[in-house]
Amino acid sequence: DGAFNAPLRVNEVAAACVAALEQDDLSGPVPIEKLQQLTPLSATMRPTAVDVLTSGLASITRLPYGTNVASDLTVSDPSTRGLPDASQLRLYEFEGCPFCRRVRETITYLDLEVMIMPCGRNSRHRADVEQAAAKAGLKYATFPYLVDDAAGVSMFESKDIVNHLLDTYGQGAPLPPPSDYFFPSTLTTGWMPTLLRLGKGGSVHPRAAPSRAVQPL
């Protein structure tokens, strides 16, 4: 009575059975509907050929940004740069946001270690940003949002974040080249990855969105 969505995937059934065996409160025959609920996302959400193709095209549209470290930084000793630990730099963002993307490209360019806090729709991390926005007197939360504990600052607005990272950790490096096009490109090619990926990276899967109490920043 009932079956997994066609075509039947053996790996999904096997993963569901393993998950069922780990449930202490289950005994006897397990309904197929329950097995479907137990199937982990890692078994049901495998990348398809279309995912691979559109991901590759998304990266191509942003070339050369997000591919290289600033030349002046590749020859410097990282220990002399005074870089913070990843836990001290937290970036609240989501994959489908072009303004978040240019901050991630700057992080790559500066070879920084950053803790990424994914904030797609329904993400538990959004509550932190909403709380920060309220403290800052903003009507609503915007993304990206950076917390830099090492420098003792936090900020919204991608342009401000990029300039802060360059001024604080870039050792005089300019904007990622071609520098004159970096900020304007967000309004042109910056949207292409979002369009190519059909909005993926903008929300949390319903089964992967546990609730939690809001923690003070």
Side-chain angles (χ1 to χ4, degrees), residues 36-184:
Q36 287 177 312
Q37 295 173 6
L38 292 173
T39 305
L41 294 180
S42 59
T44 60
M45 299 186 64
R46 292 179 177 271
T48 65
V50 174
D51 288 321
V52 175
L53 175 61
T54 55
S55 293
L57 292 175
S59 297
I60 290 172
T61 62
R62 289 297 294 158
L63 290 176
Y65 301 123
T67 59
N68 298 303
V69 176
S71 57
D72 291 344
L73 302 181
T74 58
V75 297
S76 62
D77 183 354
S79 64
T80 65
R81 293 177 57 192
L83 299 180
D85 295 332
S87 61
Q88 295 180 291
L89 273 176
R90 299 188 300 282
L91 179 65
Y92 293 79
E93 57 93 50
F94 60 96
E95 183 67 25
C97 169
F99 298 97
C100 299
R101 181 171 292 107
R102 70 179 176 189
V103 174
R104 295 197 306 270
E105 290 167 349
T106 304
I107 289 169
T108 297
Y109 178 66
L110 297 178
D111 200 21
L112 297 173
E113 294 183 358
V114 176
M115 183 178 293
I116 298 295
M117 313 297 286
C119 292
R121 287 187 303 276
N122 301 319
S123 168
R124 64 188 186 277
H125 301 304
R126 284 206 168 206
D128 294 335
V129 185
E130 291 166 356
Q131 185 182 79
K135 286 184 177 180
L138 302 178
K139 292 183 179 180
Y140 51 86
T142 61
F143 298 91
Y145 172 65
L146 178 75
V147 177
D148 185 348
D149 290 331
V153 298
S154 59
M155 63 190 69
F156 295 90
E157 299 298 330
S158 61
K159 189 171 183 179
D160 292 341
I161 294 173
V162 168
N163 287 329
H164 165 73
L165 294 176
L166 284 168
D167 293 342
T168 308
Y169 307 113
Q171 294 188 324
L175 287 169
S179 299
D180 291 342
Y181 184 61
F182 183 67
F183 283 132

Side-chain angles (χ1 to χ4, degrees), residues 186-208:
T186 301
L187 300 179
T188 53
T189 60
W191 286 98
M192 293 305 297
T194 303
L195 296 174
L196 285 166
R197 295 290 292 149
L198 300 177
K200 290 187 176 181
S203 62
V204 176
H205 192 283
R207 288 176 54 194

Side-chain angles (χ1 to χ4, degrees), residues 4 8-24 26-40 43-44 207:
F4 280 72
L8 179 64
R9 296 179 179 176
V10 175
N11 66 294
E12 294 182 20
V13 177
C17 290
V18 171
L21 291 173
E22 295 175 347
Q23 298 289 315
D24 295 332
L26 290 180
S27 62
V30 180
I32 194 70
E33 294 81 4
K34 182 62 176 179
L35 283 177
Q36 287 177 312
Q37 295 173 6
L38 292 173
T39 305
T44 60
R207 288 176 54 194

